[in-house]
Amino acid sequence: MAAMVLAATRLLRGSGSWGRSRLRFGAPAYRQFSSGGAYPSVPLSSPLPGVPKPVFATVDGQEKFETKVTTLENGLRVASQNKFGQFCTVGILINSGSRYEAKYLSGIAHFLEKLAFSSTDRFGSKDEILLTLEKHGGICDCQTSRDTTMYAVSADSKGLDTVVGLLADVVLHPRLTDEEIELARMAVRFELEDLSMRPDPEPLLTEMIHEAAYRENTVGLHRFCPTENIAKIDRSVLHSYLRNYYTPDRMVLAGVGVEHERLVECARKYLLGTRPAWGSGAAVHVDGSVAQYTGGIVKLERDMSSVSLGPTPFPELTHIMIGLESCSFLEGDFLPFAVLNMMMGGGGSFSAGGPGKGMFTRLYLNVLNRHHWMYNATSYHHSYEDTGLLCIHASADPRQVREMVEIITREFVLMAGTVDVVELERAKTQLTSMLMMNLEARPVIFEDVGRQVLATRSRKLPHELCALIRDVKPEDVKRVASAMLRRKPAVAALGDLSDLPAYEHVQAALANKDGRLPRTYRLFR
Amino acid sequence: MLPDCLSAEGERRCRRLLAGATARLRVRPAAAAVLVPLCSVRGVPALLYTLRSSRLAGRHKGDVSFPGGKCDPADRDVVHTALRETREEVGLVVPEEHVWGVLRPVHDQQKATVVPVLAGVGPLDPQSLRPNPDEEQNQGYTHFCHGGHFRYTLPVFLHGPHRIWGLTAVITEFTLQLLAPGIYQPCLASPELPRG
């Protein structure tokens, strides 16, 4: 190939009339793509002669960085986890959410989520904030849940000072103008509409099961703003809530990929001694309620025959969720519950499957593989600092609701039966691998650091958690499942509920050793 | 201070405080009555609770409560109901002279009244669960809403293997308020009457 190219060039060089265009034809045609000719026999196992020796970055086996926590004088906790990389994730986590809204208008947390990163004292508008962040290649986000609010920024590590300043401003000095509140109202209305319209009922069912399990208290309060409160929430209502809950002792400034001393320095500069926008009075009414699990049933009759948003029809389904109280994430029994949840697994019947998808979990093997008419059987585990909820979501055609409920109660009762060792090992391996895979992402490490320090003031490192997971034995799982089954169930049902068994029957089924519903004789089927 | 509440002086004080309510409420018809057995376990004052079987169906399965039950038409008054039910449920025979008085009635969700009857039962061997009234640091509270508005606050006791909540916690609070008014901080609050 090279010889042919050389021959062609000599030809072109030779002809005089083409002389001027030689340059045009010269270099591109002569480029050699293989260097086989220049370095004929240099083996790849020894360094190139005449080339400086490279110095590579080394990783010395274990990542020995541990999470460092410092508490400032005003009670604010600063936690950081160093990590190799050019970017860092920094954010503020606050112990505030819908569970503290008992004495306030429901929906404040939802509004605060939509109003996050809007105009503040130093930044005139959301665009200014985004432009400032763009200079450091950063993005920002706010997420609220039932018990935690998280404001997070991911940006270049060199911009740490700007980022912490921005976060402090956004959390403590928001302007909350009427225009922004109006925009937030619109966003909340859209989200509520979306929730009621979408074919996937999971967020709505999660709301309902919490309402059923914790009737009218703490985590059972509405996470999304109810329609009647949208117009009532305004600046003064928000300030009255912020005054009590956005206090330094309820906050953690967490950072991943930053030096601890630098982060503490920035925290002292921006978060110590500042007067928040709502005035610095002492927090008067802080809700310290303990979540009380009551059990119960919440039904929502709705016509689900045409939920499809596009031309393809979606089958009419009735969704039920049955839940039982588990335990808080601070207790020792939390990991057996997590392993149990992984063992139950489940998902949608249209899953393509594959390794790691849980195809050998109990809800797939015993429920979805055996009953073709079940569309969905998934288990979830929600855990808070004083309580937890393990629930199974199932959906099927409305005419088969009774069988569906019986299958689910049977699965619950079998949780307290014998646990096969192979099954347990598979669940533990799956849990460990999911934990480690997720903790490779920096935003997930940030959330883990923040939440753990917020709840317990220290952090269990991943390898410690893996060791604890490995120690879970079949007896632990059996014990926690039996304790769970002694409590009252919580049931949430959505769709056509004409065949739904009564709550007392569900309760009796869970107490029955086979998980069977009590026989009812009906004259007309 | 607390061991004194079981002494003769403490008993007289409680009987005196409850005398008015007892006279009024003793014969008034109520849906149910429970017995609050004030006993002493190894010399320490304690309350006796029962753990309802999780085999039973019903709203209170698996819960901690005081011995008691629905009023029978054959019962003379609420005190008789409480003593009879205690004898049937726990096997504990409490003679009527040991009854100190009747506490404030509480309403459950169906607006049925439940009347707590306080009685001293003397030293007991540990049989079932009984939390120590000393452990106030394990006492919490929960705010309840209804229809989107804050309605009431109920106490919850977290000490021990079981959590005490609901009406049982309310009755425990009344008892502790009566026995140790200086030490115990009540947290039951509502704009209206407490509803279980």
Side-chain angles (χ1 to χ4, degrees):
Chain A
M1 178 67 198
M4 266 172 64
V5 170
L6 276 168
T9 342
R10 263 191 227 113
L11 225 82
L12 286 165
R13 267 207 213 115
S15 44
S17 61
W18 294 103
R20 193 111 57 85
S21 43
R22 194 201 319 157
L23 282 167
R24 230 199 295 153
F25 281 78
Y30 194 79
R31 188 190 306 147
Q32 287 179 304
F33 290 107
S34 78
S35 51
Y39 293 97
S41 53
V42 172
L44 290 175
S45 50
S46 57
L48 278 177
V51 167
K53 187 171 173 15
V55 177
F56 296 106
T58 50
V59 179
D60 47 4
Q62 291 261 35
E63 190 178 69
K64 292 203 187 69
F65 300 131
E66 49 165 34
T67 310
K68 300 197 184 111
V69 183
T70 311
T71 311
L72 298 184
E73 292 79 31
N74 59 0
L76 177 85
R77 283 159 281 178
V78 182
S80 76
Q81 166 88 36
N82 209 340
K83 188 177 178 337
F84 179 77
Q86 192 187 352
F87 277 71
C88 67
T89 304
V90 183
I92 296 187
L93 290 98
I94 309 166
N95 245 338
S96 136
S98 63
R99 74 172 282 174
Y100 300 107
E101 283 174 6
K103 290 195 172 174
Y104 297 88
L105 278 178
S106 189
I108 291 181
H110 197 192
F111 260 80
L112 287 173
E113 186 184 28
K114 300 285 176 246
L115 284 165
F117 293 102
S118 301
S119 70
T120 69
D121 285 348
R122 274 198 294 143
F123 297 93
S125 69
K126 196 171 199 142
D127 295 323
E128 252 187 68
I129 295 183
L130 293 174
L131 275 170
T132 316
L133 280 178
E134 230 184 83
K135 291 199 192 81
H136 302 281
I139 50 171
C140 62
D141 185 33
C142 170
Q143 246 185 35
T144 51
S145 67
R146 300 195 128 82
D147 55 355
T148 322
T149 304
M150 222 167 53
Y151 295 83
V153 170
S154 273
D156 195 316
S157 304
K158 295 195 202 67
L160 182 65
D161 195 76
T162 322
V163 161
V164 178
L166 176 87
L167 276 169
D169 226 36
V170 161
V171 172
L172 295 175
H173 305 102
R175 269 197 221 150
L176 302 174
T177 60
D178 294 323
E179 217 180 88
E180 283 164 355
I181 294 188
E182 197 49 54
L183 281 171
R185 284 201 189 108
M186 220 160 63
V188 166
R189 271 193 212 106
F190 285 155
E191 187 161 0
L192 289 178
E193 232 182 87
D194 173 61
L195 272 179
S196 56
M197 262 192 356
R198 53 156 79 173
D200 165 35
E202 214 243 286
L204 188 57
L205 272 174
T206 315
E207 272 286 288
M208 285 166 63
I209 193 80
H210 277 93
E211 206 185 308
Y214 303 93
R215 192 174 51 90
E216 288 162 0
N217 72 82
T218 57
V219 288
L221 297 172
H222 293 294
R223 151 120 174 59
F224 300 107
C225 187
T227 341
E228 59 270 9
N229 285 352
I230 296 183
K232 292 188 209 159
I233 293 184
D234 63 358
R235 201 157 171 266
S236 52
V237 171
L238 290 170
H239 274 195
S240 70
Y241 177 82
L242 293 169
R243 193 171 297 127
N244 288 317
Y245 290 98
Y246 274 36
T247 52
D249 54 314
R250 297 174 76 91
M251 290 191 203
V252 168
L253 174 70
V256 176
V258 295
E259 294 273 337
H260 190 68
E261 287 70 33
R262 274 192 71 200
L263 190 65
V264 173
E265 205 185 294
C266 295
R268 275 186 207 281
K269 186 166 159 196
Y270 293 109
L271 289 164
L272 192 61
T274 51
R275 196 166 168 278
W278 44 86
S280 54
V284 179
H285 302 113
V286 175
D287 187 343
S289 294
V290 174
Q292 282 206 18
Y293 180 86
T294 57
I297 181 165
V298 167
K299 296 195 260 202
L300 184 55
E301 295 245 18
R302 180 187 278 191
D303 178 25
M304 305 280 276
S305 48
S306 53
V307 290
S308 167
L309 298 168
T312 7
F314 200 79
E316 182 183 359
L317 295 173
T318 296
H319 303 272
I320 55 149
M321 216 188 229
I322 301 186
L324 285 169
E325 191 186 10
S326 62
C327 75
S328 85
F329 55 70
L330 295 172
E331 289 178 37
D333 277 348
F334 173 64
L335 281 173
F337 269 114
V339 173
L340 176 64
N341 179 40
M342 202 48 93
M343 202 168 74
M344 298 306 293
S349 64
F350 287 100
S351 171
K357 286 281 188 337
M359 288 293 116
F360 287 92
T361 54
R362 280 196 185 172
L363 286 178
Y364 264 110
L365 289 180
N366 301 343
V367 176
L368 290 170
N369 285 358
R370 296 207 188 152
H371 308 278
H372 64 93
W373 43 267
M374 287 277 267
Y375 276 80
N376 196 318
T378 325
S379 99
Y380 297 98
H381 185 214
H382 305 277
S383 197
Y384 305 97
E385 64 181 1
D386 47 9
T387 184
L389 187 64
L390 182 78
C391 38
I392 296 187
H393 166 215
S395 47
D397 190 81
R399 283 161 298 185
Q400 283 158 312
V401 172
R402 211 186 142 76
E403 286 91 39
M404 172 169 66
V405 170
E406 195 158 41
I407 290 171
I408 299 299
T409 51
R410 208 174 130 252
E411 283 307 312
F412 263 112
V413 169
L414 286 174
M415 278 189 211
T418 41
V419 174
D420 184 39
V421 176
V422 171
E423 195 179 31
L424 187 71
E425 286 307 308
R426 185 186 295 127
K428 283 168 24 180
T429 314
Q430 198 173 1
L431 184 63
T432 316
S433 69
M434 230 176 70
L435 178 76
M436 299 306 284
M437 270 197 300
N438 280 326
L439 282 176
E440 288 179 13
R442 203 186 50 241
V444 181
I445 305 181
F446 157 75
E447 192 174 334
D448 185 43
V449 168
R451 274 182 195 266
Q452 285 206 43
V453 173
L454 198 59
T456 62
R457 288 172 191 279
S458 69
R459 179 186 180 222
K460 282 206 186 82
L461 292 172
H463 59 85
E464 289 173 44
L465 285 172
C466 291
L468 288 169
I469 293 173
R470 243 175 283 136
D471 287 336
V472 171
K473 297 186 224 5
E475 302 85 61
D476 294 324
V477 172
K478 191 166 172 167
R479 175 177 49 87
V480 300
S482 319
M484 180 177 74
L485 281 170
R486 273 188 234 120
R487 304 187 193 122
K488 282 185 281 196
V491 181
L494 171 70
D496 178 351
L497 304 176
S498 37
D499 259 351
L500 184 73
Y503 177 72
E504 289 74 30
H505 288 189
V506 176
Q507 214 176 359
L510 286 169
N512 184 315
K513 67 173 168 53
D514 286 328
R516 301 189 74 98
L517 285 168
R519 293 271 137 249
T520 56
Y521 296 96
R522 287 188 286 186
L523 281 174
F524 301 100
R525 256 249 155 211
Chain B
M1 212 260 138
L2 270 197
D4 296 348
C5 63
L6 283 189
S7 68
E9 171 57 50
E11 187 180 330
R12 270 197 298 274
R13 193 186 121 256
C14 291
R15 279 184 188 265
R16 201 176 52 237
L17 286 171
L18 294 176
T22 310
R24 253 182 317 134
L25 298 166
R26 203 176 159 127
V27 287
R28 193 189 293 183
V34 293
L35 186 76
V36 182
L38 189 61
C39 49
S40 69
V41 177
R42 291 185 276 258
V44 181
L47 293 170
L48 182 68
Y49 291 84
T50 57
L51 182 63
R52 285 188 191 257
S53 162
S54 29
R55 293 254 147 243
L56 293 173
R59 288 181 44 231
H60 297 291
K61 89 166 206 183
D63 284 348
V64 170
S65 64
F66 288 114
K70 288 205 170 57
C71 287
D72 223 11
D75 292 331
R76 284 193 309 271
D77 54 14
V78 290
V79 172
H80 188 224
T81 307
L83 298 176
R84 175 183 60 76
E85 288 284 341
T86 311
R87 198 177 58 240
E88 288 170 8
E89 276 182 23
V90 187
L92 186 69
V93 180
V94 181
E96 204 162 317
E97 312 79 70
H98 282 197
V99 171
W100 293 12
V102 169
L103 297 167
R104 207 163 74 185
V106 292
H107 308 261
D108 72 351
Q109 275 182 303
Q110 272 76 32
K111 312 282 196 296
T113 44
V114 179
V115 180
V117 175
L118 183 62
V121 296
L124 267 193
D125 250 330
Q127 284 167 325
S128 47
L129 152 75
R130 59 265 165 271
N132 194 324
D134 260 333
E135 303 276 0
E136 269 110 39
Q137 63 265 30
N138 284 311
Q139 179 224 341
Y141 60 89
T142 305
H143 292 310
F144 279 80
C145 287
H146 186 70
H149 299 284
F150 165 63
R151 280 300 170 91
Y152 50 85
T153 311
L154 288 188
V156 58
F157 296 92
L158 303 163
H159 173 66
H162 300 268
R163 198 175 54 197
I164 301 178
W165 57 284
L167 279 188
T168 313
V170 176
I171 299 175
T172 312
E173 181 161 280
F174 289 162
T175 317
L176 290 174
Q177 254 179 305
L178 181 75
L179 293 174
I183 303 180
Y184 181 75
Q185 297 300 321
C187 55
L188 178 71
S190 75
E192 335 133 345
L193 279 173
R195 274 189 187 84

